[in-house]
Amino acid sequence: MARMLLRSGGSCLAVAAMAVAAPGWAQTVAEGAPDPAQASAAVDVQADTSSEGDIVVTGRRAALEAADERKRRSETIIDSVVADDAGKLPDNSITEVLQRVSGVSIVRFAALGDPDHFSVQGSGVQVRGLTGVASRLNGREIFSANNGRAILWSDVTPELMAAVDVYKASTADLIEGGTGGQIDLRTKMPFDFDGGFHIAGTAELSMGDMAQEADPMGSVLFTDTFDTGIGKIGILADFAYSQFSSLSQFIRTEPYFRTRINNSDYYIPGGFTFGDEAFQYRRYGIYGAVQWAPSEDLTISATFFQSRYKSKSSDYGAQVSSQTLAVDPATSQFDSNGLLLKTDSLFNRDTATFLPSTGQVTSSGNKGYVASNTVTRDYSLSFAWAPSDGPLSVRGSLQRVDSKQVYDRLDIFRDLGFGQGFGMDLTGDLPRITVSQATQASFADPANYFWSASMPHNENNTGRLDAGQLDAEYSFDEGFFRSIKVGGRYAKRTERDYANGYNWSALGRGWNGDPQLTYANAAPGDVALHVFDDFFRGNTTLPGNLYFATEELASRFDRLQLTNPPPAGFCNPPATQDNCSAAGPLPVTGYGGQSGIRPVGFVLPDDRVDNRTENLAGYALVRFGGRDAGSAISGNVGLRVVNIKNAGEGYIRQNGNTFIRNGQTVTLSSDAVPRSGKAEFTRFLPSINLDYSPTDRVKIRAGYNVTLDLPSFNALRASGSVGVATTSNPVQGQPGIFTNFTAETGNPLLKPTLSNNFDLSLEYYASAGTSFHIAPFYKRITNLPVFSLTQRDVTVVFADGTSELVSAAASDYSNSTEAATVKGVEVGGRFFLDMLPGAWAGFGFEGNYTFIDSKSPGDVYRDINGGLHNDAPLVGLSKHNFNAALLYERNPFSVRIAYSWRSRYLQSTNSNGTNPAYSYYSAPGVITDLDGGPTTATQIALPVYGDAYGTLDAGVRFKVTEQFSFGIQGTNLTASTQRTVMGGYPGGDLVGRSWFQSDRRISMGINLAF
C-alpha cells in the first residue's frame, strides 16, 4: 500500500515509495534533484504499522503531497498531477486532469479555431495561454496523425498514467518544442513497485442526463519482479477500456449584415442554425513494460504503449442563411448601435425594389454522421548506466511511434419552406425562434421537404516517428559545478494524409438532369421525424420538430447509392419534374445527382499530401550549486542547437461547382495542380535556471529560455483549394447565386515560432500538504503562424474550357511580421487544517488563479464593414483563469468539490461562417463597396470568441479496506451553457454567435489493489 508519513511535532516530509501513486518517482526525482543522494534520502518506505503519534496519509492527499515534492525538487518550473494509491488520476480524461493545473486551460470545442462544434470533455490545451504545447510520453515525443504536432489529449486513456507533468519552463536537455510548455505523460514501470506480484483494477459506470446512455469503464494492472541468475527482471501489463456518450444541443446566429432600411442602416442577422449532436467514443489502452537490471549499475527498459480511440457522432441541424433578410423597423427592437434585438418577422426582400419577396424563406437542414478511428503506438527501448563508484553516467533510447487516423463523414441536406418570415428574440439568455402556426403545421408533411445535396468528407492519415537519443553526464565530487551533461537526438517524422475535401454536390434538382424528389418519395427507412427533446432543458423556443434523413441512411456512407437516379419514368408526367411528391415512395434509395459528384473515395494523387520533418539536435548543460544542505543557490545553464528540415508535397485543387453569375449559369471544372516546398532552419535555444533557497521551506526561482514550436502539418501543407462562395437561390431548386471566389492554402515555407521566456517563481512549502506559489512570467513570440483572410489573384478554369484571372478571398497561412507578447502571473496554493482536532483536520482548500494579458498585432480581422483591425488578443488566451477546490481527506473518506472557470478567449479571426463576402445595397439595385476591395462585395472576417465558462464537479470516495474502495463523481453539475460571441460591430459590441449545452454526468466506481 502506498502511504506517506507525517511525524507529529515536526515539519519534515518523508515521501514514501509511491507504488501506484508515483511510479517512476525514484528515477524522475533523482534526475531533477539538487543531489541524487539527497533525493534518495527523501524516499522512505514505511511499514504498515506506524509509531505512536504518527499520522498515516494515503489516497488523494498522498498524491497531492507527492506532486508538491515533485515540483519542489525539479530543476525548472513544473506542476504535476499524481495518481493516488488506487492508481487513479482524479478525472476521467487527460484534458479534465489538466484543467485543474495552475496556468493551464482547455478548449471546450472540437478544436481551437472551430467554434461551431462543442466538445464535452474538451480538446486543446493551453499552458499560460499559449497553444504551443508539446506532448511527451515518458520524456519522449508522441503525436496523433491529425495534421498536428501533438497527441490528441482525448485519445489518451488516463487509467494508464501514473502522473502528468506540466513543464512551464525549459532546460537544454528537454526535447525542443512547446512555446507554451510541455506536457509529459508518465507511465508506470515495474521497478517502481516494492517487488513481488501486484494487481490493481478499477471499474466504473457513468451516465449523462441528456444522453441517457450507461457507459462502462474498467482497467487492470499486473506487475511482478523476479531475482534471477542474470539479474533483476520486472514485468508490467496495464489494460484499460472506457466508453463515453454525450448529447449536446446548440443554437447559432449568422453574422449581422449591414442593411439599408428606410434610409437608415441597421444590422440584421443573416439567419440561424439549431440542432443537436449525439457523440460516443470507445477508448482502448494497452501498456506493457519490461525492465532488466543485470547489475546495480545498468537498467534496460522496453515499453509498448497503444491508445485506440473510436468515435461516432450523429447530428441534426436546421438553418436559415441569407444575406437578403430584412425587418420592419416599426415592429422591431434594436440596440443603440442599430443591431437587431427582437422582431416578429425576418423576411427576404427583393434587393432590386426593397419590397418583401413573394417566395418563402428557405431553411436548409442536414443530417450528419461521423465515424473515426485513431490508433497511436509507441515502441521504446532505453538504457541507463550509472556506476555507483564512477563519475560518468550514460542514458540512451530508441523510439518508434506509429499513428493512424481514419475519418469518414457524410452530410445529407434538404430544403424546407419556413413561411414568409420568422420571428427572432435575442433579448434573453438564449435566442428564441418562432414561426406562424400555419408554417409549423407544414412541418408535419413530408412532401414539403426537398432532397437537396450531399457532402462527404473522408480522411486516411498515417504518421511515423523514428528517434534516437544519447545523453552522458559527468559529475564532479566537489566544487561549485556539480556536473556537465551533453547529448544529442535525431528524429525523423513523416505523415501521409489522404483527404477528399468537402465535395458538396446537388442531388436531383431538375436543372441537373434528375427530377426533384421530396421526402414523400423517400424509400422505407430513409427519413424520420427528429424530436428536439427538452431543448436547452426547456429554456428556449424552437419552431418545431422536423424531418431529416435517418442515421441509418447516413451511416452507410454510400454516396453512390444515395445519388442513384430514380427509376426511368418514376416522375411522370414531365410537369412534375420540380416536385415528384405525387409519385409516392421509391422502392430503394436513390435521389439523383450522381452525374455531378466526384469519384467516391480518394483520387490519387489529388487527395494526397506528404509532409516530412527531420530534427537534429545537440546540447550541453552545466549544473551548479546545491551540493549540500547549507548551499542556498543552485541551477543550470545550457544551450540546445537544433537543425530542422521541412518538406511537403501536395496539390492545389479547384472544386467544381455550378452557380449563377451575372444572370448566367456557369460551372467551375474540377482540376488540380501539383505543388511542393522545402525549408531548412538552424536555431539556438539557450536556457538558464536559478534556484535560491534561503530556507528549506522557501524556493525562489528565476529563469530565461528560448523555446521553439514547429508549425502544424496542416499549416505547412503544400495543398489547398480554389472555389466559389454562393448564397441560396430564392427560387427553390436552382443553383446558388455567386458571391465571390475563394482560395485556401497551407504554406510549406513557414518558419518555426520562437518564444523568449522570462520566469520568476516564489514557492513556499509550509508543511506537508500546505504550499503556496506566485509566478510572474513574460513571453515575446516571433513568427507566429497566422491564418488570415486576404485578397489575391487566382486563375480559375470553367467547364467550357475558358479561364479567367479573378480576385479571390484567400485564407492563407503566413508568419506574423510583428511579435506577440504575453505577460501574466500565476498564484496558487493548498492547505489542510491539520491544526484542528479529530475529523476537522481532514478539511482543506486548493486554488489557483492566472492572469494573462497579450497583444498579437500580426493577426488581423475585418469588421462588418470590411475594415481591417489588428487589436485582437492571442488566439486561445483567456485573461482570467480560476480553479478552486474544497477538499476533505481523512480515512476512510476522500471528498472533492471543484470549480473551474476561464474568461473569454479568441477562437479565430477567420472562422468558417463569419468570413463571407456580402453585398451592401445603399439603395434598391445599388451595391456600394464598403471595404474598398477589388469587387463590389464587402469581405468580412469577424473574430469569434469563446465566452466565459465554468463547470462545477464533485466526487467522494470511501475506503472500505486497504484493498477496496468505491466512489461517486458528478461533472458539470450546474449544466453550464458555453457561449461564443463575435466582434467587429459598431461600438465594439460583441454579439451572440453560438450557445451550447450538454450533459450533467454521474459516475460510480470501485477500486481494487492487492
Side-chain angles (χ1 to χ4, degrees), residues 39 88 135 301 317 320 507 869 925 946:
K88 189 180 185 311
S135 54
S301 303
V320 168
L507 295 171
H869 302 264

Side-chain angles (χ1 to χ4, degrees), residues 657-709:
N657 198 352
T658 299
F659 54 95
I660 295 176
R661 183 187 184 205
N662 299 326
Q664 301 295 316
T665 300
V666 295
T667 299
L668 275 186
S669 64
S670 293
D671 201 4
V673 178
R675 184 184 184 218
S676 63
K678 294 182 179 180
E680 182 175 357
F681 311 94
T682 298
R683 296 291 185 265
F684 296 87
L685 310 177
S687 65
I688 180 169
N689 292 277
L690 299 175
D691 182 332
Y692 173 58
S693 301
T695 73
D696 60 353
R697 298 186 182 188
V698 176
K699 275 189 178 291
I700 302 173
R701 303 181 194 266
Y704 166 74
N705 57 80
V706 178
T707 51
L708 173 150
D709 258 333

Side-chain angles (χ1 to χ4, degrees), residues 547-677:
Y547 278 91
F548 294 88
T550 60
E551 181 175 318
E552 195 279 330
L553 175 61
S555 63
R556 295 178 207 163
F557 298 117
D558 192 341
R559 200 184 194 195
L560 288 176
Q561 181 193 47
L562 180 68
T563 58
N564 269 330
F570 175 77
C571 197
N572 241 342
T576 62
Q577 284 288 102
D578 292 333
N579 188 332
C580 295
S581 296
L586 288 162
V588 294
T589 300
Y591 304 105
Q594 193 167 106
S595 61
I597 69 172
R598 56 160 282 164
V600 172
F602 300 108
V603 183
L604 295 177
D606 298 9
D607 295 334
R608 177 167 175 161
V609 178
D610 288 277
N611 285 290
R612 182 178 72 252
T613 295
E614 291 184 74
N615 286 34
L616 180 62
Y619 73 88
L621 175 74
V622 176
R623 293 186 170 109
F624 55 84
R627 186 169 295 280
D628 52 52
S631 176
I633 297 178
S634 63
N636 62 78
V637 60
L639 176 68
R640 190 174 188 91
V641 182
V642 185
N643 178 261
I644 301 160
K645 297 177 181 178
N646 289 326
E649 297 178 351
Y651 283 77
I652 301 296
R653 164 170 285 280
Q654 179 175 285
N655 296 316
N657 198 352
T658 299
F659 54 95
I660 295 176
R661 183 187 184 205
N662 299 326
Q664 301 295 316
T665 300
V666 295
T667 299
L668 275 186
S669 64
S670 293
D671 201 4
V673 178
R675 184 184 184 218
S676 63

Side-chain angles (χ1 to χ4, degrees), residues 428-470:
D429 292 335
L430 297 169
R432 293 178 179 270
I433 303 160
T434 56
V435 295
S436 68
Q437 290 185 350
T439 298
Q440 195 168 73
S442 72
F443 297 161
D445 185 356
N448 291 326
Y449 296 78
F450 293 80
W451 296 93
S452 65
S454 66
M455 183 175 70
H457 178 66
N458 308 95
E459 296 181 20
N460 189 316
N461 305 331
T462 59
R464 170 166 287 184
L465 169 74
D466 288 309
Q469 184 166 334
L470 187 65

Side-chain angles (χ1 to χ4, degrees), residues 911-929:
S911 175
N912 182 44
T914 57
N915 60 357
Y918 75 100
S919 297
Y920 167 71
Y921 289 85
S922 55
V926 180
I927 301 176
T928 299
D929 180 14

Side-chain angles (χ1 to χ4, degrees), residues 1-3 18-23 58-64 66 81-91 161-163 188 193 198 200 202 889 894 957 959 965 1007 1009:
M1 178 189 66
R3 57 182 62 213
M18 291 299 295
V20 180
T58 63
R60 182 98 296 267
R61 178 163 178 179
L64 294 171
V81 182
V82 175
D84 63 20
D85 59 6
K88 189 180 185 311
L89 291 169
D91 293 284
M161 298 300 119
K188 310 165 177 74
F193 293 81
H198 176 79
T202 65
E889 298 291 336
S894 177
R957 197 171 78 185
K959 181 178 287 187
S965 64
N1007 301 84

